[in-house]
Amino acid sequence: MSQTDTVSRILDAAEVLFAERGFTETSLRTITSTAGVNLAAVNYHFGSKKELIQAVFERFLTPFTDSLAAELDRRVAAGERLSVEGLLESLYRVGMGSLAAEGRDPQRFMRLLGLAYTQYQGHLRRFIVSRYGDSYRRFAGLLAQALPGLDPVTFYWRLYFMLGATIFTLSSFDAIEAILREDFGAQSNLPETLERLVPAAAAMLKVDAER
Amino acid sequence: MSQTDTVSRILDAAEVLFAERGFTETSLRTITSTAGVNLAAVNYHFGSKKELIQAVFERFLTPFTDSLAAELDRRVAAGERLSVEGLLESLYRVGMGSLAAEGRDPQRFMRLLGLAYTQYQGHLRRFIVSRYGDSYRRFAGLLAQALPGLDPVTFYWRLYFMLGATIFTLSSFDAIEAILREDFGAQSNLPETLERLVPAAAAMLKVDAER
DNA sequence: CCAATAACCAAACGAGCGTTTTAATTGTTG
DNA sequence: CAACAATTAAAACGCTCGTTTGGTTATTGG
């Protein structure tokens, strides 16, 4: 078993288990036995559990923000007028695409993102902000441009409303979908839910704007 | 020190600490030393840590759902036509009022609610659904009535979008407010944020409805 | 007033945790 | 092929956790 094998097997197992139960509730013993590697391998390859958590986030956030940057570059270069809906679609499409391309589960990353915001892991928040803060600010800036006439403070709050609706819904997608199926017999999938989310979130962002 | 003292001191400490760090990250030793009571008191009075968690939720959810029910009764009896905005305002006002009345912090409960959804605590989700599911369904039903012409599945998803925006934003209120203050020098408070949230959430719920 | 019951407390138990150590094994390279 | 570095492996360390035990102190009803 080569090094990359062990490292990525650990990351695969950690990703799934963290998303399922959170960080504190997942022990290194569970991770390593799921991955089929020795317990000491985590500390050998990653240094500590904290650094493993960061590595899990880095492995999916870096391709995601890179793809998003490329997508935004492309559309800006083409001189497109970027609408609120268009920006949200780009965000969601890249989120689905850049990860699904690697055969990984997009909603798992939404759960991880939700955990990053919710759980008591100061190091993780600092890591994400320092590493991916620029990407976030660029997207937020373009979104603000698409909402002229909206005062900055209102925009900022609504940005968080939108993030909350997105992260909360998608990270609980399975649970919500199960309730829906039980109560209405209607089944949904992730792309369909995102199609519902785009106009809803856009409407929320645009109230009283664009005068 | 009478029994009620010990019990409520434990609940007070647990409420604050759980909201700050989550359930797993808060030990009974931290709780009992903060409360100034003996370690064994938790297991004596509550039985287990799980039951303590449930008791913390019960103590704020029961007054909240009771007040909400009374408020809705009052408005329905008065023959008021309940608008989306009106329902959201009732929800938030009761959330602020029924808790602030006891001198407790409303956004702490938002953090706890967020944790209930996010953290890996099956027993807690079951407890809340079985105990407060009826209140939830009544509010959702009234909200659906205020949105005629919206198909049930779309309504249900948007209800979760709204819940996500609310819980996510309010449970991270301090963090978001700190960023805002730093970037814009503008400070907000909770009532003001709720005033921003009502029209935004209402707009999201109402897209393409009420035709 | 005094048994009976409830409440409290210090100490310990066993289990699980992240991490470290030491040794064996594998892979690489001159 | 020998020498060296990188990796894997087994075992243990020190610590914290939730819970339990056994004994002491308060409270209370007859």
Side-chain angles (χ1 to χ4, degrees):
Chain A
M1 202 186 304
S2 73
Q3 176 192 345
T4 48
D5 248 23
T6 301
V7 166
S8 64
R9 286 167 65 96
I10 292 174
L11 286 171
D12 287 342
E15 184 179 294
V16 172
L17 292 166
F18 284 155
E20 260 175 27
R21 343 180 173 190
F23 307 118
T24 322
E25 294 84 350
T26 306
S27 71
L28 293 185
R29 283 168 176 82
T30 308
I31 293 172
T32 50
S33 69
T34 302
V37 305
N38 187 273
L39 168 62
V42 168
N43 288 279
Y44 177 78
H45 287 289
F46 296 94
S48 67
K49 188 179 180 179
K50 282 186 182 183
E51 288 165 288
L52 169 62
I53 294 174
Q54 295 176 3
V56 167
F57 277 82
E58 185 170 26
R59 190 172 64 151
F60 84 86
L61 277 182
T62 297
F64 169 70
T65 51
D66 286 354
S67 298
L68 183 62
E71 162 92 0
L72 295 177
D73 285 344
R74 197 178 55 72
R75 300 187 60 176
V76 168
E80 286 187 45
R81 184 185 169 325
L82 296 177
S83 67
V84 174
E85 286 85 353
L87 283 165
L88 293 179
E89 269 163 24
S90 285
L91 181 69
Y92 296 151
R93 181 152 23 88
V94 168
M96 298 280 296
S98 79
L99 300 166
E102 307 174 28
R104 316 237 298 294
D105 183 359
Q107 57 192 99
R108 192 187 302 142
F109 298 110
M110 280 295 164
R111 275 205 67 78
L112 289 172
L113 265 189
L115 289 181
Y117 271 94
T118 305
Q119 303 245 113
Y120 186 69
Q121 297 273 347
H123 71 96
L124 182 56
R125 228 186 289 249
R126 284 192 297 275
F127 172 80
I128 291 178
V129 167
S130 76
R131 197 78 136 228
Y132 304 102
D134 287 343
S135 299
Y136 172 75
R137 277 185 290 273
R138 184 188 182 191
F139 183 83
L142 287 171
L143 199 58
Q145 275 181 33
L147 288 163
L150 199 61
D151 82 276
V153 176
T154 302
F155 167 73
Y156 222 80
W157 277 110
R158 288 191 189 163
L159 177 61
Y160 277 98
F161 298 160
M162 185 270 283
L163 282 176
T166 304
I167 293 177
F168 181 89
T169 311
L170 299 190
S171 77
S172 307
F173 181 85
D174 286 334
I176 301 173
E177 212 264 343
I179 296 171
L180 254 161
R181 200 171 40 234
E182 204 173 301
D183 291 4
F184 300 104
Q187 61 181 4
S188 298
N189 52 39
L190 196 49
E192 191 190 302
T193 301
L194 290 175
E195 273 172 38
R196 293 183 198 277
L197 185 49
V198 167
M204 181 166 65
L205 287 165
K206 292 202 286 192
V207 189
D208 297 329
E210 294 188 300
R211 278 162 304 193
Chain B
M1 204 186 301
S2 72
Q3 175 194 346
T4 47
D5 249 23
T6 301
V7 167
S8 63
R9 286 168 67 95
I10 292 174
L11 286 171
D12 288 342
E15 183 180 295
V16 172
L17 292 167
F18 284 155
E20 260 175 25
R21 341 180 174 190
F23 308 117
T24 322
E25 294 83 351
T26 306
S27 71
L28 294 185
R29 281 168 176 82
T30 308
I31 293 172
T32 51
S33 69
T34 302
V37 304
N38 187 272
L39 167 61
V42 168
N43 288 279
Y44 177 77
H45 286 290
F46 297 94
S48 67
K49 187 179 182 180
K50 282 186 183 181
E51 288 165 289
L52 169 62
I53 294 173
Q54 295 176 3
V56 167
F57 276 82
E58 185 172 24
R59 191 172 63 150
F60 83 89
L61 277 182
T62 297
F64 170 70
T65 51
D66 286 354
S67 298
L68 183 61
E71 162 94 359
L72 295 178
D73 285 344
R74 196 177 56 72
R75 300 188 60 177
V76 167
E80 286 186 47
R81 186 185 167 324
L82 297 177
S83 67
V84 175
E85 285 85 352
L87 283 166
L88 292 180
E89 270 163 23
S90 285
L91 181 70
Y92 296 151
R93 180 151 25 87
V94 169
M96 298 280 296
S98 78
L99 301 166
E102 306 174 28
R104 317 237 299 294
D105 183 0
Q107 60 193 97
R108 192 187 302 143
F109 298 109
M110 279 297 167
R111 275 205 67 77
L112 288 172
L113 266 189
L115 289 181
Y117 271 95
T118 306
Q119 303 243 114
Y120 186 68
Q121 297 273 349
H123 72 95
L124 182 55
R125 227 187 291 248
R126 283 192 298 274
F127 172 79
I128 291 179
V129 167
S130 77
R131 197 80 132 225
Y132 304 100
D134 287 343
S135 300
Y136 172 76
R137 277 185 290 275
R138 184 188 182 190
F139 183 83
L142 287 170
L143 199 59
Q145 275 181 33
L147 289 161
L150 198 62
D151 83 275
V153 176
T154 301
F155 167 74
Y156 222 80
W157 277 112
R158 289 192 189 161
L159 177 61
Y160 277 98
F161 299 160
M162 185 271 282
L163 282 176
T166 304
I167 294 177
F168 181 89
T169 310
L170 300 190
S171 76
S172 306
F173 181 86
D174 287 334
I176 301 173
E177 212 265 342
I179 296 171
L180 253 163
R181 200 171 40 235
E182 203 174 304
D183 291 4
F184 300 103
Q187 61 182 3
S188 298
N189 53 37
L190 195 50
E192 189 188 304
T193 302
L194 290 175
E195 273 172 37
R196 292 183 198 279
L197 185 50
V198 168
M204 181 165 65
L205 287 165
K206 292 202 285 191
V207 189
D208 297 329
E210 294 188 299
R211 278 163 305 194

